[in-house]
Every structure is written in structure tokens, then in C-alpha cells.
Amino acid sequence: MSAPLEDYALIGDRHTAALVSKTGSIDWLCLPRFDSGACFAALLGDASHGRWQLAPAGGVTQVRRRYRGDTLVLETDFHTEDGVVRLVDCMPRREHRPNLVRLVEGVSGRVPMRMQLIIRFDYGLTVPWVRSQDGRFQAIGGPNGLVLDTAVALRGEDLTTVAEFEVTEGDQVPFVLSWYPSHEELPRPEDRSDPATAVEETHDDWSQWSERMRPLSEWRSAVIRSLITLKGLTYAPTGGIVAAPTSSLPEQLGGVRNWDYRYCWLRDATFTLYSLLIAGYKDEARQWREWLLRAVAGEPRKMQILYGPAGERLLDEREIGWLPGYEGSAPVRVGNAAVDQLQLDVYGEVMDALHEARRHELDETEDDWTLQCQIMDFLEQNWEQPDEGLWEIRGERRHFTHSKIMAWVAFDRAVKAVEQSRLEGPTKKWKQARDRIHSEVCNEGFNTERNAFTQYYGAKQLDASLLLAPLVGFLPATDSRVKGTIEAIERELVVDGFVMRYSEDYEDIDGLPKGEGAFLACSFWLVDCLSLIGRKQDAAALFERLLAIRNDVGLLSEEYDVERKRLVGNFPQAFSHVALANSAHNLSTSVAGPAHTRGRHQDDGGDIDQGPGEL
């Protein structure tokens, strides 16, 4: 059985990532990319579906672990009655083939150790052909090959590979697992650094990157860990950032809301760009922006809400029936059917991201602006359509209020591109659309009886996505409708201090069984809103509450199960960490209001466009 999510740490090489538990077991690893088939899938089943464990053979009295400084080099100390042993895990920066390095180091005493390697390609389905060649362990299954290099004697045992050895103080026992296409020759040890050197190089590589972060007066350690996580979820060849390295971790334990998040969502674009830019990582922001432009290139009507790490479009969803799911949460899914949904808000997020890029003087070509104009032409003809919305509802399309607000954002940023960046475009037409959307949202999306914006036109239920209304500049935080919405969300959607996406008191809108955790990004949005309306102490208290649910190495999942006090959803979740970094910056600044609001509007001239419909 897999461990609680809190027990996992992340290591990665900016092409893929692995989850390492406190027991020294790697329970999830997809090779050679984030979205490739898993060779270790115990996370979604049990050990028989693939894992690699290195741990003391006897009892463990205490486990302590940490990242080595501001890096993705993980150190786990096992305390036993016989002594203390340290396990160092990392994935060095990829040069040719992916390598996973594990060093067992003796700290004190003499500790018996045991290794168990269970390779199961294709998400736990394929038992590989295993052989020893020139003293090297080799496993082949279809197109995949793995080779393990170690001086420790290995033996087969019930379709697994095991080893027993001892370490004493000062000993260092290395293990290196390398992937390669099975039709090619085995990777040669001489073509890579020796394991100890590889660990040091990986440490130095991450440390140099982390040192580039702009100083932050408060919460630096939380922010840099979030940014390192974000960097670890970046597909280095293209700059695409996956939402999470995992698939099908449930939003409710035992439930069916289990989705594949190993892809890149356009929705994350603005928040991601902004978090990178405010932290000083302009090159990474530029690379993400370039990935975004390549991914959406083509016909705007065919723009998707998510893409593969290199911009792939075909992400058909299917179920993996042989995996029982995390803690019995079935089905396990690969691919994501939301790729075919209409979600109008992504057009606003794309235009806002590119607006932020211009503000921070990232280079833009004429073709880039041409593409944006084509996007606006499409949106002009389609913004009145109902859609599946921010939460990717698998049910009836509706006129979601958040979707319309983000359509307003798209036209607003297009107008600003012409007026402030001297680009050419039909501003009169865009302003008319912007004003019309604003008026419609204020009339159709606002419930006067509840004094709040609601989930969709004519609805009574609330939606935490409406916390974004003041953050994107649709209305100022001082507007009575915004204050009413914030207060209503606090009353009805906050459970034990955490924000739910929407209320379950109403008929479920997506046809799936009710029940899920609190969506963590929404809680960070509430932090921003509280700060914006002057409730700094409440904002800081909520922020600290959110920091307190990170695991011992500073990682957050998508959601939090308030009743069980557990992280749920895919892990670690980029959107949660981006929101954390942005909120920390907002709270640390002396200028009133969230940073992204200041940047997009006050710097643009001081006034937030109200448009018709203001009460």
C-alpha cells in the first residue's frame, strides 16, 4: 500500500520526477518524460506494481529527512538500534540519458541494509526480461530499458531483485539506475559522472539557480522551496511546466475524481509567469512564454486548455484497469478528456500572461501579436457561448461568471497592448466588447439577494474562482459587490480555515459524486483578497495556516482533506506552489494590495476600468 502523500518528497531532472517515501521507497517514476509510462507505480497500487526501496533491514526508530539546502537533493536519515544510515537521492541534470542516483552513507554504527527493486513497465503491467551483463543488472520491456550499476551483489527473488549489505561509519555505497531505449546499447558508466560527483554537481546546479532569487523579507524558505518545486516540474527542452508529476491521486480518498495532471495547463500561465518574474527568473519566464506561444499557434478555435510538455495536442483519456488506485481510489486514468472542453477563461489567461510579459520587457515578435489578434477575433465571436468553466465540469455547459470575467480580461489586455505598447489593433471594437461583457457580468452574474457574484448566470451558489475578480482588475476590492462576494465566500465556502471550490449544498454540477478537499489555490486567493481590502492580519494568519499543512520538506498537493487532516489530489501541485509564492510576495510588500493587481493596473495608469454596470 502506498504511503500518505505527506510522506513523499520530490526529486527530478527537469524532464521527469520521482516520489520518494520516508521508508526509502521510490513509488512513482515515469521515464523518460513526465507523461511517459511509469516503471514504478506502487503509488497507485502496491509494491507489486513497481518500486525501488533502500532501507535498513531491521527496525527503524526514527526518520529525519530534508533537502540539502535550496536544492532537489534529498537526504533521509534512518536511526536504528544498530546506528544511523543516510540515504541521498537525486536525479542529476540530464545530458544524454536519465539517471537516478542513490547513495547509502554510514553515519554511525554498523547498519544492515536491504534493497528491493521491482521494475514494472507500463504503469505496473509489464514484467521485464532481466539479465546480468558484465556485472550490470539489465531490465528490458518493450521500448524501455533500465540498467542498475552497483558494487553490491544482487540476486533474483520472486520476480524482484534484492540485495543485503552492511554499512559502517564513513562507508558510501552507490546505486545508479539509468534508462535507455531498449534497442540501443547500454549506457556506459564512463559517459557520466561517478555517483558521488553527480550528487555534488546536482547540489551545485540547484544552489546556483536558487541564489538568483530576488530577496524576500519574509517567508523566503517557503517561497524558494515552491520555486524549486516549480522548476522541478519544468520540462527543460521546451519550458513547459506540468501541473503535477502524478496521475489519478484522488481529490477525495476512495472517490472517482482522479485525473492525470502530467500536462501543461494554459490557465496556469499568468500566475506562473508572474511568480517567476517577481522572483527574478526572467529567463524561465521567457521560456514559459515561448512554450505558450508555440503550443497555441494555429487556429484559435482549436486552442486547447492543456497540452503535453512539448506542446502535444493528442492527450486522449483512458483507464488503467489493472491498477487499484491510491488507497482504492479508482479508476486510474492516463490522458485527460478535458483537452476537448471549451473553457473561455483560458483566452483571458493567455492574453494576461502575454500582457505581463510585455510589461516586464520580454521580447515579442510581430507574429506573436498577430496570433493574439487572431485569438481576439475568435473570442469576439464566441465569448457569449456557455462553457465547461475553470473547474472543467464534466456536465452541462453553463455561463460561468468566472469565464466571462476572464473574457473581459482578454479584451482589456488587448486594449492595453495597443494603448500602452503601441501595437496595432481594433481598439474601438475591443472596448465595446469589454464594456458589454462587464455590464452583462454585473447584471447576470451578481445576485442582489445574496450581495455576491455567483457561480454562473442565474445561480445562487458561490464559487471561489470569483475571488479573482478584484485580482485581475475586473472591479476594485473597495466595490461593495466585491466585498460582499469575499464575505459570502468566507461564510459559506471556508471550512476549518480552508476554502472549498464551491458549495455542496446545491445540486452537484458535474454529475460526479460529491466530496473533495479544499482547493489550496483558492485559499491563497483569499489571502490576496483579504490583503487587498486591508485585512492584513487576517491575510497573514490564513497564509501561516496554509504553510502549516505543507509536509516536512515543504510540499503541497492540489487539495487538503479538512476532516482527515491530509493532503489529497495530485502531488506536488504546481498551482498551489505558484499561489503560495505570489501570496508571500503580496504580503511582504509595503504597497497595499496583491502584487499582480498593482502590476496590471496601478502601474498602467492608476485606475481600474469599471465599465458599465457599476452600481
Side-chain angles (χ1 to χ4, degrees):
M1 181 176 177
S2 52
L5 293 187
E6 290 83 357
D7 285 359
Y8 287 102
L10 178 80
I11 60 173
D13 65 355
R14 305 169 196 171
H15 289 247
T16 190
L19 294 188
V20 188
S21 78
K22 284 184 176 180
T23 65
S25 180
I26 296 177
D27 289 347
W28 183 257
L29 175 62
C30 300
L31 289 170
R33 298 194 340 173
F34 291 107
D35 56 342
S36 299
C39 59
F40 302 139
L43 181 70
L44 300 180
D46 55 38
S48 68
H49 298 108
R51 74 167 186 177
W52 184 15
Q53 184 174 39
L54 273 166
V60 175
T61 59
Q62 186 180 31
V63 177
R64 294 181 178 177
R65 64 177 180 171
R66 71 227 147 247
Y67 286 111
R68 185 183 290 181
D70 295 330
T71 76
L72 273 187
V73 177
L74 179 69
E75 296 181 336
T76 304
D77 292 346
F78 297 103
H79 294 252
T80 74
E81 294 181 355
D82 299 305
V84 179
V85 64
R86 176 170 299 149
L87 176 62
V88 181
D89 288 312
C90 73
M91 295 187 73
R93 174 181 286 195
R94 191 177 302 189
E95 298 296 338
H96 303 290
R97 301 294 183 207
N99 297 306
L100 200 164
V101 176
R102 314 193 79 181
L103 295 181
V104 180
E105 299 178 342
V107 178
S108 65
R110 179 184 293 274
V111 181
M113 297 290 295
R114 176 177 170 84
M115 186 210 80
Q116 183 187 50
L117 176 63
I118 306 175
I119 298 172
R120 297 292 183 265
F121 294 117
D122 304 316
Y123 304 100
L125 177 66
T126 302
V127 179
W129 170 48
V130 174
R131 65 175 178 173
S132 179
Q133 180 176 338
D134 300 326
R136 308 177 73 196
F137 169 86
Q138 180 185 7
I140 292 177
N144 298 293
L146 286 172
V147 58
L148 175 64
D149 290 306
T150 182
V152 173
L154 307 174
R155 72 174 192 276
E157 184 179 281
D158 298 328
L159 297 179
T160 73
T161 301
V162 299
E164 283 95 19
F165 58 101
E166 290 186 336
V167 290
T168 59
E169 183 176 347
D171 287 347
Q172 189 176 80
V173 182
F175 297 80
V176 180
L177 187 68
S178 304
W179 178 92
Y180 66 100
S182 60
H183 64 278
E184 295 184 2
E185 294 183 358
L186 272 66
R188 300 181 303 174
E190 56 267 28
D191 290 337
R192 53 172 166 78
S193 300
D194 69 85
T197 301
V199 170
E200 294 306 315
E201 290 174 345
T202 304
H203 173 271
D204 293 344
D205 180 34
W206 279 104
S207 295
Q208 291 169 12
W209 186 85
S210 300
E211 289 169 358
R212 292 168 43 203
M213 190 185 91
R214 288 175 180 162
L216 189 69
S217 58
E218 298 179 74
W219 302 294
R220 182 194 180 279
S221 62
V223 171
I224 191 61
R225 178 51 52 193
S226 290
L227 292 174
I228 290 170
T229 303
L230 196 62
K231 182 71 170 176
L233 298 180
T234 301
Y235 184 57
T238 66
I241 302 175
V242 298
T246 55
S247 174
S248 300
L249 291 179
E251 296 174 7
Q252 179 187 33
L253 296 175
V256 300
R257 296 174 182 265
N258 318 318
W259 316 114
D260 191 347
Y261 274 18
R262 297 171 300 156
Y263 306 112
C264 308
W265 267 256
L266 298 188
R267 181 172 293 110
D268 300 358
T270 302
F271 291 96
T272 302
L273 263 175
Y274 195 79
S275 65
L276 292 170
L277 288 168
I278 62 176
Y281 292 107
K282 199 168 183 177
D283 290 342
E284 285 75 9
R286 180 181 291 107
Q287 192 180 25
W288 175 227
R289 195 276 307 268
E290 293 304 316
W291 175 90
L292 174 66
L293 288 168
R294 289 193 303 270
V296 304
E299 299 177 69
R301 67 182 179 86
K302 294 183 179 179
M303 191 173 84
Q304 301 177 177
I305 64 166
L306 70 151
Y307 296 84
E312 295 88 353
R313 293 172 177 256
L314 302 179
L315 309 176
D316 295 339
E317 184 178 297
R318 63 189 187 279
E319 295 183 4
I320 304 297
W322 57 87
L323 283 176
Y326 181 83
E327 297 194 14
S329 304
V332 172
R333 296 181 174 94
V334 172
N336 199 307
V339 72
D340 296 322
Q341 290 187 353
L342 174 65
Q343 297 179 22
L344 292 171
D345 66 292
V346 299
Y347 295 91
E349 275 114 17
V350 167
M351 293 300 294
D352 201 14
L354 298 175
H355 173 69
E356 284 298 308
R358 278 191 295 272
R359 288 190 58 255
H360 287 82
E361 300 180 343
L362 297 186
D363 297 335
E364 186 173 53
T365 69
E366 184 177 341
D367 289 341
D368 296 342
W369 177 240
T370 299
L371 174 62
Q372 293 169 65
C373 290
Q374 292 173 350
I375 288 174
M376 297 311 302
D377 289 342
F378 173 80
L379 190 59
E380 183 183 5
Q381 300 299 319
N382 290 275
W383 71 265
E384 295 179 275
Q385 299 294 321
D387 71 341
E388 279 89 358
L390 169 70
W391 305 128
E392 301 179 358
I393 301 304
R394 298 196 176 197
E396 178 187 352
R397 287 184 176 182
R398 300 180 187 271
H399 292 283
F400 287 102
T401 305
H402 171 264
S403 294
K404 305 303 186 186
I405 288 175
M406 293 310 297
W408 175 92
V409 168
F411 286 104
D412 180 72
R413 303 319 189 248
V415 170
K416 284 180 167 58
V418 175
E419 294 181 343
Q420 298 169 9
S421 300
R422 299 180 180 179
L423 297 170
E424 294 185 2
T427 54
K428 181 179 180 180
K429 184 171 61 172
W430 290 342
K431 284 181 178 180
Q432 289 174 343
R434 180 180 66 177
D435 293 346
R436 185 180 169 193
I437 296 171
H438 199 287
S439 178
E440 181 179 290
V441 168
C442 290
N443 291 325
E444 303 294 334
F446 184 78
N447 187 303
T448 55
E449 294 181 2
R450 309 208 67 200
N451 190 34
F453 287 100
T454 55
Q455 186 173 63
Y456 53 88
Y457 289 178
K460 292 183 178 180
Q461 65 200 76
L462 302 172
D463 193 305
S465 65
L466 298 171
L467 291 169
L468 291 171
L471 304 184
V472 298
F474 181 79
L475 284 171
T478 55
D479 188 281
S480 62
R481 293 163 295 184
V482 172
K483 284 188 173 181
T485 302
I486 295 171
E487 292 168 357
I489 288 173
E490 282 189 284
R491 288 193 306 269
E492 299 183 28
L493 297 188
V494 173
V495 179
D496 197 24
F498 301 97
V499 181
M500 308 300 292
R501 291 191 297 176
Y502 46 82
S503 173
E504 292 190 350
D505 293 337
Y506 297 87
E507 180 182 357
D508 201 61
I509 61 174
D510 63 4
L512 295 175
K514 297 179 180 180
E516 63 176 13
F519 196 80
L520 293 178
C522 295
S523 298
F524 286 112
W525 298 342
L526 181 57
V527 170
D528 294 340
C529 285
L530 293 176
S531 177
L532 192 61
I533 62 177
R535 292 170 54 186
K536 288 283 191 177
Q537 290 185 341
D538 292 339
L542 176 55
F543 186 71
E544 291 288 356
R545 189 172 181 80
L546 288 162
L547 293 185
I549 65 170
R550 296 174 300 152
N551 73 354
D552 58 322
V553 289
L555 300 181
L556 286 171
S557 64
E558 177 188 15
E559 299 183 1
Y560 182 68
D561 187 324
V562 176
E563 292 185 5
R564 295 179 175 88
K565 310 297 183 186
R566 290 185 57 183
L567 297 174
V568 291
N570 282 293
F571 174 90
Q573 179 80 3
F575 208 18
S576 298
H577 284 283
V578 167
L580 184 157
N582 288 342
S583 291
H585 180 82
N586 299 338
L587 290 171
S588 297
T589 182
S590 60
V591 183
H596 35 292
T597 301
R598 292 198 316 278
R600 294 176 196 173
H601 297 284
Q602 292 182 10
D603 288 352
D604 291 341
D607 295 325
I608 297 178
D609 297 313
Q610 301 299 306
E614 181 184 4
L615 297 178

